[in-house]
Amino acid sequence: MRFTLFTILAIFIASSVSFAQKSFHKNKVIAHRGAWKAQSHPQNSIASLKEAVKLGCEGSEFDVWMTSDGVLVVNHDADFEGMEIETSTYEELLSKNHENGEKISTVEEYLKAGKKQKGTKLIFEIKPSKISVKRSQEVAEKSVMAVKKMKAEKWVDYITFSYEGGLKVIELAPNANVAYLTGNKTPAELKEAGFFGFDYNINLLKENPHWIKEAQALGLTVNAWTVNKEEDLRWLLDQNPDFVTTDEPELLLKLIEERQ
Ligand code: MG
């Protein structure tokens, strides 16, 4: 009897650990700031996340800043509707809204919304602080804590332009997937530092296409931003990347479908 209970428990734990990874869509499509363009949703809004989920994207990307009072919030620009995020309190930011009436999401609210489904990964961009490298590392540390608190580890891959911030995530969450955005490190350097992959500008990859094969030979993943032109999407798909980050997820899904 004890053995049976133990077995059931072991199976339950094993299945709860692996469900999310298995259930995510495998179509390479990462909606950049959510899927906002075609339906005119605000970028980085919960509505744009839900649209990416509805489309069946493999991932939905979003950007994270920290307010002056230490709250992580989701927004692309350094300001939200004209208010500088890093020098405003969270309370102050609540005086403004997205165009669709949503208020700025905290990371916890965003992760909570993203966890309601199991098909689309949440691609968490840690924005480098304009104040200091130390603050970028603090944002990275708080981001890892928030993901842990929300039990969202299985949904989240991290990306960042802050090399130091990326290293901080790797240090605090060694099992997390962290990709680097800036484009000033070779695949070998990223591998050595413990990154999961690179997510580089499409024009940089067109200048250095050998990096794609080099990275994949090292076991790193390849992603590119922000690939919107059809000719660029087709070129990149020919290189067999792991992911493609785009403002045009509908078009990319169609191009991928055509190749199957
Ligand atoms: Mg971003």
Side-chain angles (χ1 to χ4, degrees), residues 31-249:
H32 180 235
R33 309 177 196 169
W36 52 271
K37 199 171 174 184
Q39 304 296 326
S40 302
H41 295 303
Q43 298 178 358
N44 276 309
S45 62
I46 299 285
S48 69
L49 167 64
K50 285 184 176 167
E51 184 66 23
V53 169
K54 192 172 137 197
L55 289 173
C57 298
E58 180 161 350
S60 187
E61 187 259 4
F62 62 104
D63 305 285
V64 174
W65 294 90
M66 186 168 74
T67 64
S68 64
D69 55 342
V71 179
L72 297 182
V73 292
V74 179
N75 194 61
H76 177 264
D77 292 347
D79 73 280
F80 179 66
E81 302 294 323
M83 298 180 81
E84 191 79 22
I85 294 174
E86 292 199 277
T87 55
S88 302
T89 64
Y90 172 61
E91 195 69 29
E92 284 166 346
L93 294 177
L94 292 180
S95 65
K96 304 276 183 178
N97 286 328
H98 280 294
E99 272 181 19
N100 67 349
E102 282 183 39
K103 61 185 177 65
I104 191 167
S105 288
T106 64
V107 157
E108 292 191 8
E109 287 164 348
Y110 200 90
L111 294 175
K112 192 175 171 196
K115 275 187 67 186
K116 289 183 178 157
Q117 53 80 45
K118 294 173 183 171
T120 301
K121 286 189 283 187
L122 308 174
I123 312 303
F124 188 128
E125 180 176 346
I126 298 168
K127 283 287 181 194
S129 170
K130 287 175 177 289
I131 297 169
S132 67
V133 169
K134 195 167 170 287
R135 200 169 197 270
S136 293
Q137 291 170 318
E138 194 187 338
V139 176
E141 202 168 334
K142 280 200 173 222
S143 296
V144 171
M145 282 163 56
V147 169
K148 208 170 169 181
K149 182 183 167 196
M150 297 303 291
K151 297 189 170 48
E153 291 97 329
K154 296 188 201 83
W155 280 261
V156 170
D157 284 355
Y158 296 90
I159 55 174
T160 187
F161 283 97
S162 166
Y163 192 68
E164 293 78 10
L167 292 179
K168 181 54 88 179
V169 176
I170 293 165
E171 177 196 327
L172 298 173
N175 294 325
N177 297 332
V178 187
Y180 184 54
L181 293 164
T182 307
N184 59 352
K185 300 282 178 192
T186 64
E189 287 169 324
L190 294 177
K191 177 72 181 176
E192 175 69 24
F195 282 85
F196 162 71
F198 68 59
D199 182 353
Y200 282 176
N201 182 282
I202 178 65
N203 295 322
L204 192 70
L205 290 184
K206 282 162 90 178
E207 285 163 24
N208 300 279
H210 59 282
W211 278 2
I212 295 174
K213 292 281 167 290
E214 273 175 45
Q216 291 180 329
L218 289 166
L220 295 171
T221 55
V222 167
N223 190 354
W225 57 269
T226 301
V227 195
N228 294 332
K229 284 190 226 149
E230 183 165 337
E231 59 179 291
D232 286 344
L233 289 167
R234 288 186 188 279
W235 178 84
L236 189 58
L237 289 177
D238 287 342
Q239 317 301 313
N240 197 26
D242 298 275
F243 314 107
V244 180
T245 301
T246 182
D247 292 330
E248 308 284 357

